[in-house]
């Protein structure tokens, strides 16, 4: 049976944590039959006594855990919780969930069901059919939520994922979460960590599924999200978006360089009165050599091929895959020369 650990940061959540614990353990967890459900509350020694309240419930609920640590920010609370869930609780999957009821507990079972059906990464989405944001939100807040999420989707080129800023997510440990360097996420002390973690999780996951989430308003106190958090989130999205496109940009530049090599070599060989087939063939081969070399040394430096044998083998393989283009270019080039001349 899969062990699933809900990680719940709870700084100064004394009014919410008790009702949340009882609703999860008494109402929601009993409905989930095929998973061993646990709740890990991460408390940064809240001055309002949140941690003490959790301790009072632990004798009643053996699957209730408490991790207390110095205050570092929301992102670090989740990171420390994930590390603890993997190393100490041997979790098969973790769920990121708020303690303030903005993520209604009744949606936990849908997240778990998607995981049990094979999903590696499950997103509680406000922007798919069945999902929603609070009707009582002011228009300005709704607009910021919707267009902010849309902006990040466009920047990261993830049009198939509808909600990239949600904080309600389930992640498989093996092959997904355990492949992420949690200690070096971008902006780990802010909400922006969510985008950085989501970006890497989607890249690692073989199957990403969105399930509807009816996002709720806080029952107590006010949201901690503010303009600084929003700016930080956008900054992380932009940096990741650029990083994600670096290889595409480099690949295009290498291709353009290959075109220049081809054109210059063809001009020189033609001036030397080489036969058309030789001029076109060798100039194209030089372009292929240029593309292979610069892609190996620059574009795909992280996968760089080393060693004479490996380089020769890969170059021959690259040549073979480019043979069709080479043949077409030689045939078309020679035919054009004969029809209209090479000048």
């Amino acid at each position: 049976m899969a062990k699933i650990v809900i990680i719940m940061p709870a700084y100064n959540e004394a009014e919410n944590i008790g009702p949340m614990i009882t609703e999860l353990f008494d109402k929601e967890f009993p409905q989930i039959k095929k998973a061993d459900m646990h709740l890990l509350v991460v408390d940064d020694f809240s001055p309002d006594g949140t941690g003490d309240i959790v301790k009072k419930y632990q004798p009643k609920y053996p699957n209730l855990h408490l991790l207390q640590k110095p205050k570092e920010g929301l992102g670090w609370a989740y990171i420390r919780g994930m590390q603890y869930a993997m190393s100490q609780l041997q979790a098969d999957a973790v769920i990121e969930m708020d303690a303030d009821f903005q993520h209604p507990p009744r949606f936990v079972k849908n997240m778990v069901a998607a995981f049990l059906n094979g999903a590696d990464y499950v997103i509680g989405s406000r922007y798919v059919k069945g999902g929603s944001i609070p009707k009582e939100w002011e228009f300005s807040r709704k607009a910021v939520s919707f267009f902010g999420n849309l902006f990040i989707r466009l920047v990261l080129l993830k049009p198939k994922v509808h909600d990239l800023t949600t904080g309600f997510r389930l992640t498989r440990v093996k092959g997904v979460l355990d492949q992420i360097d949690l200690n070096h996420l971008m902006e780990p002390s802010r909400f922006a960590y969510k985008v950085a973690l989501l970006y890497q999780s989607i890249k690692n996951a073989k199957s990403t599924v969105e399930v509807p989430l009816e996002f709720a308003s806080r029952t107590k106190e006010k949201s901690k999200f503010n303009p600084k958090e929003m700016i930080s989130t956008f900054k992380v999205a932009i940096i990741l978006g650029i990083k994600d496109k670096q290889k595409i940009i480099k690949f295009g530049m290498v291709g353009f360089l290959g075109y220049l090599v081809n054109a210059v070599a063809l001009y020189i060989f033609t001036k030397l009165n080489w036969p058309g087939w030789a001029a076109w063939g060798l100039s194209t081969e030089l372009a292929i050599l240029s593309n292979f070399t610069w892609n190996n040394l620059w574009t795909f430096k992280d996968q760089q091929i080393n060693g004479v044998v490996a380089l020769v083998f890969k170059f021959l393989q690259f040549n073979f895959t480019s043979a069709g283009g080479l043949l077409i270019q030689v045939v078309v080039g020679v035919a054009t020369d004969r029809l209209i001349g090479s000048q």
Side-chain angles (χ1 to χ4, degrees), residues 247-265 283-284 286-292 294-295 298-299 318 329:
K247 285 187 177 180
I248 297 175
I249 295 171
K250 289 180 178 180
F251 190 77
M253 292 175 67
V254 168
F256 180 69
L257 177 62
Y259 163 77
L260 292 178
V261 169
N262 192 338
V264 172
S283 63
T284 304
L286 287 174
I288 292 174
L289 177 61
S290 172
N291 288 350
F292 176 82
W294 286 109
N295 279 328
W298 189 45
T299 308
F318 185 72
Q329 185 153 331

Side-chain angles (χ1 to χ4, degrees), residues 255-312:
F256 180 69
L257 177 62
Y259 163 77
L260 292 178
V261 169
N262 192 338
V264 172
L266 180 61
Y267 175 80
I268 293 173
F269 297 150
T270 300
K271 288 298 182 181
L272 293 174
N273 293 317
W274 282 28
W277 64 268
W280 279 97
L282 184 57
S283 63
T284 304
E285 183 61 33
L286 287 174
I288 292 174
L289 177 61
S290 172
N291 288 350
F292 176 82
T293 301
W294 286 109
N295 279 328
N296 184 49
L297 295 176
W298 189 45
T299 308
F300 304 105
K301 186 178 180 180
D302 56 333
Q303 305 169 36
Q304 187 172 337
I305 304 164
N306 296 304
V308 176
V309 176
L311 277 169
V312 171

Side-chain angles (χ1 to χ4, degrees), residues 117-128:
N117 284 331
D120 292 322
Y121 194 53
V122 186
I123 297 173
S125 179
R126 298 161 293 180
Y127 300 112
V128 296

Side-chain angles (χ1 to χ4, degrees), residues 81-101:
M82 290 174 180
Q83 292 171 332
Y84 186 90
M86 289 190 286
S87 64
Q88 301 301 314
L89 302 180
Q90 288 74 53
D92 295 299
V94 300
I95 295 177
E96 299 162 68
M97 184 176 178
D98 292 346
D100 56 14
F101 286 90

Side-chain angles (χ1 to χ4, degrees), residues 104-115:
R106 69 181 184 277
F107 290 100
V108 169
K109 58 180 176 292
N110 297 335
M111 305 279 285
V112 174
F115 169 74

Side-chain angles (χ1 to χ4, degrees), residues 224-244:
K224 300 180 179 70
F225 196 76
N226 55 55
K228 288 184 179 180
E229 298 289 353
M230 182 174 65
I231 292 171
S232 175
T233 299
F234 287 170
K235 181 184 74 174
V236 168
I238 292 170
I239 292 173
L240 291 175
I242 294 173
K243 180 180 178 181
D244 203 38

Side-chain angles (χ1 to χ4, degrees), residues 42 61 83 92 94 117 139 153 157 173 187 228 245 267 273 285 317 328:
V42 183
Y61 303 116
Q83 292 171 332
D92 295 299
V94 300
N117 284 331
F139 175 79
R153 288 174 67 192
L157 290 181
V173 170
E187 298 286 354
K228 288 184 179 180
K245 299 174 185 66
Y267 175 80
N273 293 317
E285 183 61 33
Q317 188 180 51
I328 292 171

